[in-house]
Amino acid sequence: MKSKKMKNWFVVMIVSLLFLAACNSSSSSENGSGSETGSGDGAFYDGETLEVIVPFSAGGGTDTLFRYLAQYMKEHTEGNPALQVVNIEGGGSINGANEYVDLREPDGLTALATSASTKIPFLIGQEAVRYDLRELKPIIGTPNGVVLYTSPDTGLTEGKDLLDTDQELILGATSPTGIDVMTLLALEVLGVKDNIQIIFGYEGAGASRIAFEQGETNLDYQSGTAYQSDVTPMVEAGQAIPLFTYGFTGSDGDIVSDPAFPEIPTVKDVYVDMYGEEPSGEAWEAYKAFVGIVNNLHKSLWLHADAPPEAVAALQEGAAGAVADEQFIEEGAEILGGYDPLVGEDLESAISALTSINEETLAWVRNYLREEYDVTGLID
């Protein structure tokens, strides 16, 4: 009898130990301590840090935007990950973007912030580019326009005056392979590039604006956000005159007014004033396509194409929550410049301009840059 009781007790002990082991395993999985990040039922980013690679120096427009966005993404992303901005300079943002796709694991713990200066080298096919933006997963985007303005000393008062002037017009620029491509296409469309001396080599938009303020140049352009903060005071003081915006691409593919500056004519409006008809031709088609990609979706945040789906979903939901946060919009008014951030279907619609651009259009732009500006190092 005693032997039988001992045997039953032994069986009970074995069953109890197996039960406790199963509970411990389940608890470990739920707490995210398994071998895979975010495994089990817990939030993917619970206890994690998301690195945001900004391929520009600290303090610039892209850096400022994404450091601001990080505060709200942390709050609205399930798991509340810490967001750490990492600046990787060089190559006009090519270096940082290349490092992201070449060296960072597609584990959902590193994201890439881009600007127009990242998109254009990709579009024109610079040999140094190893990233393909069409293969990344978009999380959030922000539009931004462009305004070209002049000094009152030139005597120009509106855009059409560029066509017929005896004034020496000088425009400061960075490079014919960066954001300046937008300006080169605009001047080509308007037929006024031969009336303007373009000086390349300025380090960026801030440097070219200072050159304008110091009288080294008498034409300049700035992004919509920079124009509002840095140029509008000059306009109000009578020290600058806006000539045109680069516009935005509407749902029908045509150029429409910049939502932040509806009172300033677009490149299309100026063309009609100059020639009495709407623009057409290869330069115009290229211009519209680039505006749709660069202005409608100026800055963006991306994950690797093969990042865990739960990471993509968590960040997209976090971005949507941030955009819906009234405090985010109110406190970020100057950073956002009056442009509405893009998430969800609006973001996908903007991305479609990048994924569907005509290859013949891109080939035309490459050939144009080679012939007119002696650009080398472009793939065919």
Side-chain angles (χ1 to χ4, degrees), residues 285-299:
E285 294 304 317
Y287 178 78
K288 290 191 295 181
F290 272 63
V291 167
I293 295 171
V294 176
N295 287 6
N296 289 41
L297 189 66
H298 190 79
K299 302 184 191 299

Side-chain angles (χ1 to χ4, degrees), residues 197-260:
Q197 179 186 358
I198 302 177
I199 301 177
F200 294 108
Y202 288 93
E203 291 184 1
S208 68
R209 190 192 73 250
I210 292 174
F212 178 89
E213 293 173 355
Q214 295 177 343
E216 298 173 16
T217 64
N218 51 24
L219 284 175
D220 187 41
Y221 71 88
Q222 294 289 317
S223 69
T225 51
Y227 183 89
Q228 291 180 51
S229 60
D230 299 320
V231 182
T232 297
M234 288 195 288
V235 173
E236 293 173 346
Q239 299 167 344
I241 298 173
L243 296 182
F244 55 78
T245 73
Y246 292 16
F248 276 64
T249 301
S251 57
D252 61 353
D254 204 359
I255 296 297
V256 298
S257 296
D258 187 317

Side-chain angles (χ1 to χ4, degrees), residues 6 37 97 141 151 171 199 215 257 288 290 310 346 375:
M6 289 289 291
T37 302
S151 166
L171 173 70
I199 301 177
S257 296
K288 290 191 295 181
F290 272 63
E310 57 268 35
D346 291 336
V375 171

